[in-house]
Amino acid sequence: MSGILLADDEPAFQRLTGAWLRGLGHDVRVVGDGDAARAAFAEAPADLVLLDLAMPPHHDPEAGLALIANFAPAPVIVMTGHADHALALKAIDAGAWDFLAKPVDPDILRIVVARAMDRAALARELAALKARDTGAEDMGLIGTTPPMAALRDLIRRVAPTRLPVLVLGPSGTGKELVARALHHASPRADRKLVPIHCGAIPPEWDCARFSDY
């Protein structure tokens, strides 16, 4: 289910619209004023906000417009009985996803909500993909070529496992960077990574003592 925050001060509209949206499979929270809407979103961000503009405590569409920025990055669908062209432009300029005049046509609302929820889902997916890439890129694995993309994908797949990984390559190709990226993306990222220059280890040393690391 998808989380929707419905902010409207009309009890009948709250009941009817809330029940209708739940019937479409959405999880809906209902609040009746601007302050409550801001607090509810801060406590648990919604995927979508349906916002009446003229709500308590101000009952002023301009105050409702000022609320829109508090709900980023969720799309906001503005619903108001104060429907005019200038107000609609102000709402879109303030960051609203769409503007609907009351009384709201259920078929139009269904379409607009579906489009907004799709947009929110795509935004979350993009954010997740960017977050997945950040770990490797922070360790110096930059580049957009297919081999680099394949390397980052391999690191993401291997890092969560407990398998030993052997990184091969000529001197200067970034083997230690790959090792650091693997460590950074693994469940052991909060533990120390201990690089050891094997070529500098004297032959008489007992390398078995490093196994505990």
Side-chain angles (χ1 to χ4, degrees):
M1 291 195 298
S2 303
I4 296 177
L5 178 62
L6 172 60
D8 194 286
D9 63 329
E10 299 177 16
F13 188 83
Q14 290 177 351
R15 289 194 302 271
L16 292 173
T17 305
W20 182 76
L21 289 169
R22 292 184 185 101
L24 294 177
H26 299 293
D27 179 28
V28 183
R29 287 177 292 157
V30 179
V31 294
D33 65 71
D35 292 341
R38 187 189 297 109
F41 190 86
E43 180 181 351
D47 297 323
L48 171 66
V49 177
L50 300 178
L51 179 67
D52 181 32
L53 289 186
M55 290 189 299
H58 304 290
H59 298 282
D60 180 8
E62 294 293 333
L65 291 174
L67 278 174
I68 294 174
N70 292 277
F71 305 121
V76 177
I77 298 174
V78 166
M79 304 178 301
T80 179
H82 301 75
D84 62 69
H85 183 68
L87 187 60
L89 290 178
K90 285 184 178 180
I92 300 301
D93 188 55
W97 166 256
D98 212 333
F99 183 97
L100 299 177
K102 289 182 176 179
V104 178
D105 184 315
D107 289 331
I108 293 178
L109 180 59
R110 175 178 54 80
I111 293 171
V112 172
V113 165
R115 289 179 59 243
M117 296 301 289
D118 286 344
R119 182 250 192 182
L122 287 172
R124 289 193 301 272
E125 184 177 349
L126 179 60
L129 288 173
K130 286 182 177 179
R132 280 197 337 187
D133 283 341
T134 298
E137 291 177 356
D138 283 349
M139 302 311 298
L141 298 179
I142 59 175
T144 58
T145 62
M148 288 302 297
L151 175 60
R152 286 196 291 269
D153 182 64
L154 181 61
I155 288 172
R156 286 193 294 266
R157 287 188 284 116
V158 172
T161 72
R162 297 187 62 86
L163 298 173
V165 178
L166 177 63
V167 182
L168 300 174
S171 177
T173 55
K175 295 185 295 297
E176 185 175 331
L177 290 176
V178 172
R180 290 186 180 278
L182 279 164
H183 178 75
H184 185 74
S186 76
R188 300 166 294 282
D190 59 336
R191 301 174 64 180
K192 280 187 177 181
L193 172 67
V194 183
I196 298 174
H197 183 197
C198 295
I201 299 177
E204 62 272 15
W205 278 28
D206 181 7
C207 293
R209 67 193 182 97
F210 290 110
S211 61
D212 292 337
Y213 291 91

